[in-house]
Amino acid sequence: MKIFRTIKYKYEIRGHRDREELKMAYLKELKVTFRRRQVDDDLLNKPAQSPEQVYALFKHLQDEPKLKVVGLHLNSQLEILSYETAAIGGAKTVVLEPVELYRNAILAGASSLIVVENHPWGDCKPTMDDLVLAERLVAIGTLLGVALQDFIVVGDEGYCSLREDGRF
């Protein structure tokens, strides 16, 4: 209830006394707090030095029935600061704007980013959409100073790293 009291205080000071507005702010704060607590502490502050290591951490994505895109936020020593599920799509496609990945990376204080995507159909070969998204992420990362370290596609039989394949 501490969160509720804090939010209620903030809203009363700003003159927002509408009960529904207060309730929505409370739910939003709970959602953010709960998500932060969901982060697996075993992943944090560990270096993500190779695609094999990242694949080992996110191998469970190969069992997902929907396409998921996960962003790993890294510091300058390539240690994982945080990660997020940036998008969940259908069985074959996902809609994701690069700004969604970089917004949270910048808020986390990341100096670089790794993107992990699963293919529910099992093939770890990147699709044309994956390649276009990776190109856009590299371009935006260059502008923002938050480099895309790798784009890893997880499938049933393993993974494909675009950096290892020399795609960027």
Side-chain angles (χ1 to χ4, degrees):
M1 280 303 159
K2 182 179 177 186
I3 293 172
F4 182 73
R5 277 185 256 134
T6 303
I7 292 172
K8 187 175 179 183
Y9 178 72
K10 285 180 189 176
Y11 272 75
E12 285 177 350
I13 286 178
R14 293 183 187 155
H16 301 285
R17 296 177 191 212
D18 181 52
R19 190 163 178 79
E20 285 301 310
E21 192 175 8
L22 185 61
K23 195 185 308 181
M24 291 307 294
Y26 176 67
L27 291 173
K28 184 178 177 184
E29 188 68 26
L30 268 180
K31 182 179 175 185
V32 169
T33 304
F34 182 70
R35 278 193 177 164
R36 285 187 187 144
R37 289 185 182 154
Q38 275 186 323
V39 173
D40 189 356
D41 290 336
D42 295 339
L43 291 177
L44 300 180
N45 300 319
K46 296 221 174 149
Q49 297 172 339
S50 70
E52 295 89 16
Q53 193 175 21
V54 174
Y55 172 68
L57 293 172
F58 289 94
K59 187 176 181 177
H60 66 276
L61 288 177
Q62 68 189 8
D63 300 325
E64 291 287 334
K66 294 183 177 184
L67 204 143
K68 282 189 176 182
V69 180
V70 177
L72 276 76
H73 311 136
L74 310 173
N75 65 15
S76 57
Q77 287 80 35
L78 300 180
E79 295 173 337
I80 301 171
L81 296 170
S82 61
Y83 71 95
E84 64 168 326
T85 301
I88 300 174
K92 296 244 179 206
T93 60
V94 66
V95 177
L96 173 71
E97 287 298 320
V99 70
E100 294 173 28
L101 279 166
Y102 277 104
R103 179 185 310 122
N104 289 331
I106 290 169
L107 289 173
S111 60
S112 60
L113 179 72
I114 294 176
V115 175
V116 181
E117 178 186 82
N118 74 316
H119 283 174
W121 57 91
D123 186 16
C124 63
K125 182 181 177 197
T127 64
M128 188 54 101
D129 289 340
D130 294 340
L131 298 174
V132 169
L133 177 61
E135 278 182 27
R136 289 180 66 197
L137 289 169
V138 168
I140 292 171
T142 303
L143 288 173
L144 295 174
V146 181
L148 179 66
Q149 290 294 327
D150 206 345
F151 191 105
I152 299 169
V153 179
V154 175
D156 287 344
E157 300 300 319
Y159 71 94
C160 176
S161 163
L162 297 186
R163 180 159 307 275
E164 280 184 346
D165 285 355
R167 307 260 182 158
F168 63 88

